Amino acid sequence: MPRDLPLANGALAVNFDATGTLRDIYWPNIGQQNQTLGDLCRLGIWVDGHFAWVNDDGWERTLTYEADTLVTSVTLRHAGLGVSLACADAVDFDSDIFIRKAVVTNEAETPREVRLFYHHSWHLEETEGANTVYFSPSQRALLAYRGKAWMLTAGATGEGAGAPDEHGAPMSQYATGFKGVNGQQGTWRDAEDGSLEGNPITQGSVDGTARYDVGTLAPHGAGVCYSWLCAGPDYHVVSHLDQRVRQRGPEFYLQRTRDYWHLWLTAKQTLLSGISDDLATLYRRSLLTIRTQIDNDGAIIAATDGDVWTFARDSYAYMWPRDGSLVASMMGHAGYRDIAQRFFAFCARVITPQGYIMHKFTPDGALGSSWHPWVDATGDLQLPIQEDETALVIYALWQLYRSDHDVEFVKPYYRPLICAAADFMVGFREPRTKLPAPSWDLWEERHGIHAYTVATVHGGLIAAASFAAAFGESARAAAYQQAAAEIQQAALEHLWSDQLGRYVRTVWVNDDGSIKQDETIDISLAGLFKLGLVDARSARMRATMQAIENQLIIKTPVSGVARYVNDRYHQVSQDIAAVPGNPWFIGALWLAQHMIAVAQSVPELQEALPWMNWVRERALPSGIIAEQVDPMTDAPLSVSPLTWSHAEVVATVRWYAAKHAKLSAAR
């Protein structure tokens, strides 16, 4: 299920699903240690003997954010119960505190008693067992802990509950218990009669539920309930955070978080020439969404959607250097250079002594899981890398340097990161063609010499040559420039097919030196112009992009652009002629980017808008964008949000606006 509403501050992150139910709680790193492992953490309401969880059927739901903030604006209405909930949720921008505000309205014509129930299913330190949850009578709070992961949940209802130094009614009942043990489902079942048994402590596979009495609401009257969660490494830290919330009032934290994210956006405002209000809104939402997926220590996480874990026993919650480089580049161009700088510092910490960067990493910098083998079919050593991930780091770092010329930042990374990676790229080449040596492709499925990888290596070497020249090392710069020129010449020769009249996505060099080409059309061929290997306006590049349009646009009412013909990842349809693969958001945006690149007039530029609007129209109401959508139903597929998708929104909007301003000025 997609995550419609991510919230984060760089250390604590939470995600809500499409029902408005809390699912993921990451701490102390974004993407690492999901303290719930994606389990449902339920919100329930009891009204005069009738009960419903918000993930049950019967609710009308609107899940959005307050404009230009990371504060939710959620409306839940249950006609059968005759109640509605208006919720505002936020992770405090500075402290590891998650605040929830629920305003309950009695829509009936008679007074009715209302209670709210907050449930948490704990997998602390991502473990099923050895968790403890207990009730603290002095704090009227539930505390859960395992090792150095502590979570305190508390709250208050009624008049003054959100004000500093004033106290509403605290948690009125609680329950701790087992889940998944001897058929026990959890304490949430105990809540459904409107009362909790009050078991004070449980250890093992546990959960906890708290009851808050909103009171007897007059006809069409409303009551408020605040709840908060404090995360920390021990009891003293979470208790201190809890005390601060009580002293300042939870409303204080909601308001200051609103103010902070407004400031975060407005401080980097860009004139978006020719961009509609709807696309500008999606641009700003994409910047905010990207920030929710970035750890304060520099890791840019591909996605924190915890549902992927349930079917693959792994997740997207890693730092891929490719995704991270593209995101860092876009964030740097948008003015968020501190985010980009922390990412490159992360890369400098994880690059190998040999000068290449591995497949993916955990948010704290440890090597991530991988399916790339260390041996080839003959049993010989084969580096388990995607070389584009090494090259793109250097390419993106140069893009950042061009925009800010921060020599002091780059200087410590010149030799251990830039030169080390460039020296590796110069040496890691197929000797007969001088192309980059075979590695895994950007889709992580094929081993060979890939057009996208070739383009990134060429771009990375040009960037390294530019750095070397800037640092006064002319001989080194010349060596990198020569290697880049050799790669470009070889690419133009070996990646082109006269028979197909376009570039090909992959080649292999046979033992006799002949070239075998993979004729499958692939959207990644757009990398040839995006990274500067081939002129976007050249006849060959235009022919390649036209082939992509002819073969990869989905022929259903959903439309969209597939990655490549017969893409089997989350494949929905076997009708390859109509549905070559599921539509990916980056595919539509890469088509738009080529249209932007070749446009020589405003009307030509506007040809990109339908694809940009295709993306906007398929974002969730909250503005969240998935990896792909179902070609038949438009429903999000795979992870949501995908950080890379949002980065391409930022890139495309900025490139369009810059080109629009340039063409408009020339008229």
Side-chain angles (χ1 to χ4, degrees):
M1 181 175 287
R3 301 308 193 237
D4 289 48
L5 299 167
L7 303 167
N9 65 4
L12 174 64
V14 303
N15 293 327
F16 290 88
D17 69 17
T19 70
T21 299
L22 176 64
R23 297 294 298 274
D24 308 306
I25 301 175
Y26 288 96
W27 183 89
N29 297 102
I30 307 301
Q32 190 163 3
Q33 291 200 16
N34 186 348
Q35 308 294 347
T36 64
L37 278 184
D39 272 5
L40 292 166
C41 294
R42 295 168 170 84
L43 168 60
I45 186 167
W46 179 94
V47 184
D48 273 357
H50 301 281
F51 188 93
W53 298 106
V54 300
N55 59 297
D56 291 342
D57 294 335
W59 291 93
E60 300 172 18
R61 305 178 179 93
T62 302
L63 276 64
T64 60
Y65 294 91
E66 296 180 12
D68 295 342
T69 74
L70 284 175
V71 178
T72 71
S73 177
V74 174
T75 302
L76 306 166
R77 182 176 181 275
H78 197 295
L81 288 179
V83 295
S84 62
L85 291 165
C87 301
D89 310 277
V91 170
D92 182 64
F93 78 92
D94 183 59
S95 300
D96 293 339
I97 302 168
F98 169 42
I99 302 291
R100 308 185 70 179
K101 178 182 180 180
V103 178
V104 187
T105 299
N106 174 19
E107 297 185 347
E109 301 298 331
T110 57
R112 294 189 301 165
E113 183 184 354
V114 175
R115 305 168 187 169
L116 289 181
F117 292 82
Y118 290 88
H119 159 261
H120 294 89
S121 178
W122 296 117
H123 294 260
L124 298 175
E125 297 185 333
E126 296 193 342
T127 62
E128 181 69 32
N131 287 217
T132 299
V133 59
Y134 72 93
F135 175 70
S136 170
S138 60
Q139 297 159 301
R140 300 296 298 177
L142 286 173
L143 289 97
Y145 71 90
R146 185 186 191 279
K148 292 188 178 298
W150 281 71
M151 301 285 152
L152 181 152
T153 57
T157 64
E159 190 80 20
D165 298 319
E166 295 187 30
H167 303 285
M171 181 188 304
S172 63
Q173 288 185 339
Y174 61 87
T176 74
F178 297 107
K179 65 178 190 315
V181 177
N182 297 323
Q184 297 179 76
Q185 294 176 281
T187 57
W188 59 278
R189 282 297 192 193
D190 182 23
E192 292 177 342
D193 62 359
S195 183
L196 295 171
E197 293 185 357
N199 184 41
I201 188 168
T202 305
Q203 61 84 30
S205 178
V206 303
D207 71 345
T209 303
R211 167 182 152 183
Y212 296 94
D213 294 340
V214 180
T216 300
L217 301 182
H220 304 287
V224 64
C225 177
Y226 289 89
S227 68
W228 52 89
L229 178 149
C230 306
D234 56 43
Y235 170 82
H236 301 289
V237 170
V238 296
S239 294
H240 175 67
L241 292 174
D242 174 56
Q243 185 178 29
R244 284 170 53 189
V245 175
R246 296 172 191 271
Q247 289 173 343
R248 295 179 173 183
E251 188 64 41
F252 167 85
Y253 287 91
L254 279 175
Q255 188 57 49
R256 80 170 189 172
T257 300
R258 288 188 187 96
D259 294 341
Y260 174 81
W261 291 114
H262 275 300
L263 177 64
W264 189 84
L265 277 177
T266 57
K268 308 293 184 182
Q269 284 289 2
T270 300
L271 179 62
L272 299 178
S273 176
I275 296 296
S276 68
D277 289 344
D278 287 342
L279 279 172
T281 297
L282 181 61
Y283 169 83
R284 296 192 299 273
R285 178 54 54 195
S286 290
L287 288 171
L288 288 166
T289 302
I290 290 168
R291 187 62 185 92
T292 68
Q293 308 298 295
I294 298 177
D295 187 74
N296 285 338
D297 289 335
I300 297 174
I301 305 306
T304 58
D305 181 345
D307 264 5
V308 176
W309 178 266
T310 63
F311 87 89
R313 307 314 299 167
D314 209 342
S315 73
Y316 278 42
Y318 294 95
M319 193 288 280
W320 270 265
R322 171 183 47 259
D323 298 43
S325 295
L326 297 170
V327 173
S329 180
M330 290 307 103
M331 294 302 281
H333 282 300
Y336 299 94
R337 295 182 180 91
D338 55 332
I339 289 173
Q341 287 181 343
R342 289 197 294 271
F343 168 77
F344 293 116
F346 184 104
C347 293
R349 295 194 298 270
V350 301
I351 191 170
T352 64
Q354 295 80 13
Y356 57 84
I357 301 179
M358 295 293 284
H359 179 183
K360 57 191 172 83
F361 299 87
T362 62
D364 63 0
L367 185 62
S369 60
S370 180
W371 50 91
H372 297 331
W374 285 81
V375 295
D376 62 17
T378 65
D380 292 333
L381 174 66
Q382 171 182 285
L383 290 181
I385 64 169
Q386 303 156 43
E387 194 184 2
D388 66 294
E389 297 200 290
T390 299
L392 279 170
V393 170
I394 310 307
Y395 175 85
L397 181 55
W398 176 250
Q399 301 305 308
L400 179 68
Y401 177 77
R402 287 179 61 192
S403 67
D404 65 14
H405 297 285
D406 190 342
V407 178
E408 288 291 332
F409 171 73
V410 170
K411 181 179 70 173
Y413 306 127
Y414 174 61
R415 292 203 183 282
L417 178 62
I418 298 167
C419 294
D423 290 345
F424 170 77
M425 289 186 283
V426 169
F428 190 67
R429 288 197 284 168
E430 200 286 318
R432 289 161 292 187
T433 62
K434 296 189 177 181
L435 288 167
S439 68
W440 293 92
D441 69 340
L442 80 163
W443 309 132
E444 309 181 299
E445 296 172 343
R446 281 163 290 277
H447 197 262
I449 301 172
H450 314 290
Y452 185 84
T453 304
V454 172
T456 64
V457 172
H458 173 265
L461 285 170
I462 293 294
S466 301
F467 275 121
F471 278 82
E473 295 196 319
S474 56
R476 187 182 289 273
Y480 295 158
Q481 190 72 46
Q482 179 182 347
E486 291 170 353
I487 288 172
Q488 184 176 40
Q489 181 178 353
L492 296 178
E493 176 184 353
H494 298 300
L495 293 177
W496 176 259
S497 169
D498 285 326
Q499 179 182 356
L500 298 174
R502 61 169 174 83
Y503 291 107
V504 297
R505 71 171 177 179
T506 302
V507 298
W508 298 272
V509 181
N510 297 318
D511 291 341
D512 61 1
S514 61
I515 301 294
K516 178 184 177 182
Q517 295 182 330
D518 181 350
E519 298 182 354
T520 306
I521 192 70
D522 193 307
I523 188 63
S524 67
L525 287 164
L528 295 173
F529 83 84
K530 283 168 57 65
L531 291 148
L533 182 69
V534 176
D535 186 343
R537 297 190 183 92
S538 68
R540 287 186 170 189
M541 194 69 238
R542 288 179 184 268
T544 301
M545 296 306 295
Q546 186 60 56
I548 287 172
E549 290 192 47
N550 293 343
Q551 297 185 51
L552 295 184
I553 292 178
I554 285 88
K555 300 173 182 64
T556 70
V558 172
S559 187
V561 182
R563 288 192 301 174
Y564 55 84
V565 173
N566 198 20
D567 182 358
R568 296 181 179 177
Y569 186 54
H570 293 285
Q571 190 174 48
V572 170
S573 172
Q574 301 296 318
D575 182 3
I576 305 304
V579 186
N582 299 333
W584 281 53
F585 286 100
I586 62 173
L589 292 166
W590 284 0
L591 273 190
Q593 288 170 20
H594 185 253
M595 294 171 182
I596 294 166
V598 302
Q600 295 182 301
S601 67
V602 170
E604 287 183 4
L605 178 65
Q606 290 171 337
E607 293 176 10
L609 287 176
W611 284 117
M612 296 167 69
N613 284 318
W614 181 92
V615 170
R616 176 187 58 80
E617 291 162 3
R618 282 153 185 83
L620 296 174
S622 60
I624 296 301
I625 300 174
E627 178 182 72
Q628 45 186 300
V629 296
D630 188 301
M632 305 301 180
T633 68
D634 255 350
L637 284 178
S638 189
V639 295
S640 177
L642 181 72
T643 313
W644 188 1
S645 295
H646 284 280
E648 294 295 346
V649 168
V650 172
T652 309
V653 168
R654 293 184 65 83
W655 293 349
Y656 184 98
K659 192 70 173 282
H660 187 273
K662 178 181 178 180
L663 293 174
S664 298
R667 285 191 296 182

